[in-house]
Amino acid sequence: MPQVLNIFKKEIRDYFISPIGYIVICIFLLVTGWFFFATFFIFSEANLRSFFNLLPLTFALVVPAVTMRLFAEELHTGSYEMLLTLPVRLTDVIVGKFLAGAAFVTIMLVPTLAYALSVTFIGELDWGPVIGGYLGAVLLGAAFSAVGVFASSLTRNQIVACIVGMVICFTLTLFDRMVFFFPGRIVEAFTYLAASYHFENISKGIIDSRDLLYFASVIFVSLYGANLVMQTKR
Amino acid sequence: MIHVEKLTKFYGDFCAVDKIDLEVSKGEITGLLGPNGAGKTTTLRMLTGYLEPTSGVIRIKGYSIDDNLLDIKKLIGYLPESAPLYHGMLVYDYLDYIGEIRGLETKKKMERIHQLADLCGLVGIMHKPIGELSKGLKQRVGLAHAMMEDPEILILDEPTSGLDPNQIVEIRDIIRSFGKEKTIILSTHILSEAEATCDRIVIIDRGRIVADGSTESLRKTHGQEKIINISLLKADFDTALRKLGAVEGVTRIENIDPPEPDKLRLKIVSDSADDMQEKIFACIKETDWVLVEFTQEVKSLENIFRELTKEA
């Protein structure tokens, strides 16, 4: 069996053995649920737009908390030494851990399908943007997980890993809004770097290869960075 | 089996391991001995591929550590210091996971886990979380972890540190029983342990090898002096000094403290290669002293170790 799969299975099981997985899921559902239904009846529109609009911010807060333990915990307890002296490649470990984080974030999204279902009871729901939204959410979750893996590789302290991850994710989310006072050209370039911009594109239901490429690049750059960091620890 | 040449590791400016040459052949149990911070753990970590050497060559069974790291990792079972295992996992789940990663087939894996549970005495604790185990039990799980794929080389970093005497004996027995057909390198700073388990001892101090050989040969090369302790009744120091000092080969005679009334206790030091016991006894027999104690002191490994590693 490929080693990536072994690492993935172990990590995903760890999420559901320890209480932290359930706690994170609960917080995520509480935050998204409250913000969604708090305004839902005011607008009286049958869509999930307010849920998806807020998702990049919620993810920037929650995903780093999911991924913070992936490397930091192993570096702290020293089990990393055990892991790396087993016949595995470092890239297998990084990809396996990243996939486990991304899969956990995806699993976390599953209960929010209830929001979509409850809307169909009240009004006519257009499923196109909803499907696009979920696709965008999975990609966004994966990209932020990769960032989180990178942050976790930097330190043996999980709290530090979480905060560093949050800072990077928030920056990626709010990039386009932070630079509004720059000249138009620069804003355009920065907008392209913002995760929320690409997420909004996909969640409108338009699947453009540029947006897919953006998320793929964030994942690649982050994991490559994690690889470099772990290499220098040897 | 293991070939190390001019192995060097720098941590920044600090030289932890300084041009070590080492050759370990198959079936040897080698003990790496040295004071704390001598570079034992660093050396072992480089052998397992966990740390990258600053310079030098490591070849294991012909594989180079730079090009065939994965092949080398397959050959080696490694137990790091204080066995840092996944604390949240059950013992069984952990061994199962290691078996998967080591690429054992399901049937073989189950057999191996049962075998190791018997060998390492884990039968009663298979369904306990690793974090709840005592230090000795954790160490045994770590040993099972290292031996999972029946590796040709076993590298153990302080396998008995922090264990109680019973546990030490148990772990030692496991290592001994395993070491009959395998190559084992273990590090320790407990001398009696190295003496009891290892065929060969390598003493490291400040990153350099200062002695290398079997316990016997170490004693021979570093422990020339022979010491005989005797206790005599009806004897006085001056006559004893004169008579025994005349014996061929004796270099020094000292009083042993504290002195006891009516009893003369002497320490006779010689540097002769011959056995001195006979000559000294013959000398005493000619007098009317009463001999109540006669012991030959073997120069302990501890003394050799202290001599070799004391601060310059």
Side-chain angles (χ1 to χ4, degrees):
Chain A
M1 209 192 296
Q3 302 292 23
V4 173
L5 201 61
N6 283 327
I7 307 276
F8 170 78
K9 276 187 353 196
K10 187 246 159 199
E11 293 298 338
I12 202 86
R13 198 164 55 170
D14 272 4
Y15 273 126
F16 291 99
I17 288 175
S18 70
I20 191 156
Y22 300 99
I23 293 171
V24 168
I25 290 181
C26 285
I27 292 174
F28 173 72
L29 291 178
L30 268 174
V31 171
T32 54
W34 190 80
F35 276 108
F36 176 58
F37 285 107
T39 54
F40 179 71
F41 294 103
I42 302 172
F43 293 125
S44 67
E45 285 172 15
N47 59 39
L48 290 181
R49 208 172 291 154
S50 65
F51 167 64
F52 285 124
N53 277 347
L54 209 64
L55 201 61
L57 272 178
T58 355
F59 264 6
L61 196 77
V62 170
V63 175
V66 171
T67 55
M68 66 181 182
R69 50 165 281 270
L70 287 172
F71 276 105
E73 190 182 32
E74 297 226 28
L75 289 171
H76 179 70
T77 59
S79 57
Y80 182 69
E81 191 178 350
M82 289 270 208
L83 181 61
L84 258 253
T85 47
L86 290 169
V88 292
R89 286 189 191 83
L90 180 56
T91 44
D92 292 336
V93 174
I94 293 173
V95 173
K97 280 177 183 285
F98 155 69
L99 287 177
F104 182 81
V105 173
T106 307
I107 293 167
M108 199 165 70
L109 278 169
V110 172
T112 65
L113 286 171
Y115 306 159
L117 285 179
S118 53
V119 172
T120 55
F121 290 122
I122 304 165
E124 199 80 0
L125 181 68
D126 182 4
W127 280 95
V130 173
I131 291 167
Y134 274 106
L135 179 69
V138 170
L139 288 172
L140 186 73
F144 281 5
S145 298
V147 169
V149 167
F150 170 69
S152 186
S153 74
L154 292 173
T155 167
R156 50 175 60 207
N157 185 325
Q158 294 194 40
I159 308 293
V160 173
C162 183
I163 291 170
V164 170
M166 278 180 187
V167 168
I168 302 175
C169 290
F170 269 118
T171 312
L172 283 177
T173 309
L174 300 172
F175 229 178
D176 46 343
R177 270 157 257 187
M178 280 189 218
V179 291
F180 62 91
F181 45 79
F182 281 125
R185 274 290 167 126
I186 298 176
V187 173
E188 223 169 84
F190 275 113
T191 306
Y192 186 79
L193 288 175
S196 48
Y197 164 74
H198 296 280
F199 171 69
E200 275 158 27
N201 280 351
I202 294 180
S203 64
K204 277 175 202 149
I206 313 158
I207 291 156
D208 188 333
S209 57
R210 272 177 299 182
D211 302 321
L212 299 180
L213 195 67
Y214 170 81
F215 286 115
S217 334
V218 171
I219 293 170
F220 179 78
V221 169
S222 301
L223 296 186
Y224 188 72
N227 190 39
L228 283 183
V229 171
M230 294 322 277
Q231 280 290 353
T232 59
K233 292 205 160 107
R234 284 185 71 198
Chain B
M1 196 76 175
I2 299 173
H3 171 81
V4 173
E5 216 180 288
K6 291 211 170 78
L7 188 65
T8 306
K9 176 77 187 178
F10 275 94
Y11 292 117
D13 286 339
F14 177 69
C15 184
V17 173
D18 190 7
K19 296 196 206 79
I20 280 188
D21 294 307
L22 190 65
E23 195 80 39
V24 179
S25 43
K26 201 179 152 100
E28 242 179 354
I29 303 183
T30 306
L32 224 51
L33 222 72
N36 289 328
K40 292 169 301 207
T41 300
T42 308
T43 307
L44 296 184
R45 283 182 170 170
M46 285 192 281
L47 286 178
T48 56
Y50 176 65
L51 286 179
E52 214 171 13
T54 311
S55 66
V57 179
I58 299 176
R59 289 190 159 278
I60 291 171
K61 226 185 160 192
Y63 293 120
S64 147
I65 205 130
D66 302 312
D67 309 326
N68 312 84
L69 186 55
L70 218 54
D71 296 302
I72 287 180
K73 282 179 178 177
K74 273 189 188 147
L75 289 173
I76 295 180
Y78 176 47
L79 171 64
E81 200 176 347
S82 75
L85 308 148
Y86 293 122
H87 284 187
M89 277 174 119
L90 305 180
V91 175
Y92 176 84
D93 286 343
Y94 182 74
L95 293 180
D96 188 68
Y97 170 63
I98 299 301
E100 290 282 336
I101 287 223
R102 288 266 177 201
L104 303 180
E105 293 161 34
T106 312
K107 209 179 140 212
K108 216 181 143 206
K109 185 182 72 193
M110 299 307 289
E111 266 173 33
R112 189 68 188 149
I113 291 176
H114 282 124
Q115 243 177 333
L116 286 173
D118 283 338
L119 185 63
C120 302
L122 303 175
V123 177
I125 56 159
M126 284 305 253
H127 295 282
K128 277 195 181 163
I130 292 175
E132 286 176 16
L133 300 179
S134 70
K135 204 163 179 205
L137 289 175
K138 249 183 238 167
Q139 205 74 20
R140 284 199 242 168
V141 178
L143 265 182
H145 148 103
M147 296 196 284
M148 181 50 90
E149 208 186 2
D150 204 10
E152 289 184 46
I153 300 168
L154 201 59
I155 296 183
L156 310 169
D157 196 358
E158 311 227 341
T160 56
S161 74
L163 304 187
D164 70 42
N166 293 333
Q167 292 169 327
I168 290 179
V169 171
E170 282 169 19
I171 296 276
R172 226 180 255 169
D173 287 344
I174 296 173
I175 294 172
R176 270 242 164 258
S177 70
F178 191 76
K180 275 169 199 147
E181 63 255 59
K182 307 288 172 182
T183 310
I184 298 181
I185 300 184
L186 59 90
S187 82
T188 176
H189 54 249
I190 305 162
L191 293 133
S192 56
E193 170 166 305
E195 226 174 337
T197 15
C198 304
D199 306 322
R200 174 183 170 193
I201 288 173
V202 175
I203 300 182
I204 296 186
D205 184 39
R206 276 158 280 172
R208 287 164 200 260
I209 293 183
V210 290
D212 181 353
S214 66
T215 38
E216 288 305 303
S217 72
L218 278 186
R219 278 214 188 90
K220 245 176 219 157
T221 45
H222 298 280
Q224 283 282 342
E225 288 189 340
K226 287 204 182 81
I227 296 166
I228 293 171
N229 295 324
I230 55 174
S231 294
L232 301 168
L233 300 178
K234 296 186 195 165
D236 66 292
F237 185 69
D238 291 329
T239 9
L241 196 64
R242 188 158 35 82
K243 287 205 167 170
L244 288 168
V247 175
E248 196 189 333
V250 173
T251 49
R252 214 164 68 234
I253 296 174
E254 291 165 19
N255 250 317
I256 297 175
D257 289 325
E260 283 174 43
D262 312 327
K263 203 186 215 177
L264 183 64
R265 299 180 68 217
L266 296 175
K267 177 176 173 181
I268 304 171
V269 182
S270 79
D271 59 359
S272 158
D274 314 324
D275 193 2
M276 292 300 294
Q277 295 181 82
E278 216 169 300
K279 287 182 187 167
I280 288 170
F281 182 69
C283 173
I284 295 169
K285 219 165 76 172
E286 285 168 11
T287 65
D288 49 3
W289 300 335
V290 179
L291 183 64
V292 288
E293 189 201 334
F294 192 102
T295 48
Q296 177 149 17
E297 206 177 89
V298 180
K299 188 159 188 186
S300 70
L301 212 51
E302 237 129 300
N303 293 337
I304 300 171
F305 178 81
R306 230 175 285 141
E307 255 167 49
L308 288 170
T309 60
K310 69 184 162 206
E311 293 290 323

